[in-house]
């Protein structure tokens, strides 16, 4: 009868499954969590669950579902004023659009995410989004812009000592 404890255990189970690379199993756990947090109207926990679902869906190339979860999560993060989550969700949205071959939509999502990450001073996420933005620009046949974006990303990553 301790619903808070059940939700906590479900969160831990989902995280443990993801850490073990068992995303398919974690997907069921996070879908249950999403329904429970929506019923409880716990928007921060719902956002976190949408973030996990978006990551899993992108990793599994279930792009349509990733677009739905990421779009919803980006809107919720913006409403909650969680700019870091907002930028992350826009990145996942861009990734999902890119997987679908929708480079123009990916560029829009990445560009918006990049603006949000810059405004928050989240330089790590800024560099990651810039790299993805460059790929979307290249896929959109905008080679020169992609090269400029990657040069900026390379400079930022060098400043951050991020060799990967």
């Amino acid at each position: 009868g301790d619903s808070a404890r059940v939700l906590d255990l479900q969160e831990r189970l989902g995280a443990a499954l993801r850490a073990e690379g068992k995303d398919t199993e974690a997907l069921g756990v996070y879908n249950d969590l999403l329904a429970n947090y929506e019923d409880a109207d716990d928007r921060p926990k719902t956002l976190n669950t949408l973030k996990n679902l978006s990551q899993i869906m992108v990793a599994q190339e279930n792009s349509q579902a990733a677009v739905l979860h990421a779009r919803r999560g980006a809107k919720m993060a913006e409403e909650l004023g969680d700019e870091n989550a907002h930028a992350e969700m826009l990145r996942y949205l861009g990734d999902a659009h890119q997987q679908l071959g929708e480079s123009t939509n990916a560029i829009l999502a990445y560009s918006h995410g990049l603006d949000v990450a810059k405004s928050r001073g989240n330089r790590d996420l800024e560099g990651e989004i810039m790299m993805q933005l460059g790929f979307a620009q290249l896929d959109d046949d905008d080679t020169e812009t992609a090269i400029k974006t990657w040069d900026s990303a390379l400079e930022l990553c060098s400043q951050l000592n991020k060799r990967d």
Side-chain angles (χ1 to χ4, degrees), residues 7 10-11 13-15 17-18 22-36 49 52-53 56-57 60 69:
L7 291 173
Q10 280 182 309
E11 278 189 49
L13 176 60
L17 289 168
R18 294 220 46 219
K22 297 179 180 178
D23 281 351
T24 302
E25 293 86 350
L27 191 57
V29 172
Y30 284 114
N31 278 321
D32 289 343
L33 271 172
L34 182 62
N36 290 330
T49 304
N52 281 294
L53 284 168
I56 293 169
M57 296 297 183
Q60 293 185 341
H69 289 306

Side-chain angles (χ1 to χ4, degrees), residues 63-139:
S63 307
Q64 291 286 3
V67 166
L68 294 174
H69 289 306
R71 184 175 288 135
R72 185 169 168 222
K75 183 177 185 231
M76 186 175 287
E78 186 175 28
E79 290 169 358
L80 292 172
D82 187 339
E83 294 299 317
N84 283 328
H86 187 204
E88 286 181 67
M89 296 305 294
L90 288 166
R91 176 187 174 196
Y92 303 137
L93 181 59
D95 291 346
H97 280 301
Q98 190 66 7
Q99 286 175 347
L100 289 167
E102 301 171 349
S103 297
T104 302
N105 288 336
I107 290 168
L108 291 172
Y110 289 137
S111 295
H112 189 184
L114 184 59
D115 290 342
V116 173
K118 282 181 180 180
S119 73
R120 289 292 299 160
N122 189 337
R123 294 173 50 90
D124 287 335
L125 185 56
E126 184 181 335
E128 292 171 18
I129 292 173
M130 270 197 278
M131 290 299 298
Q132 295 302 103
L133 175 59
F135 286 113
Q137 291 165 334
L138 184 64
D139 286 347

Side-chain angles (χ1 to χ4, degrees), residues 133-145:
L133 175 59
F135 286 113
Q137 291 165 334
L138 184 64
D139 286 347
D140 200 42
D141 293 326
D142 193 354
T143 308
E144 291 300 317
T145 304

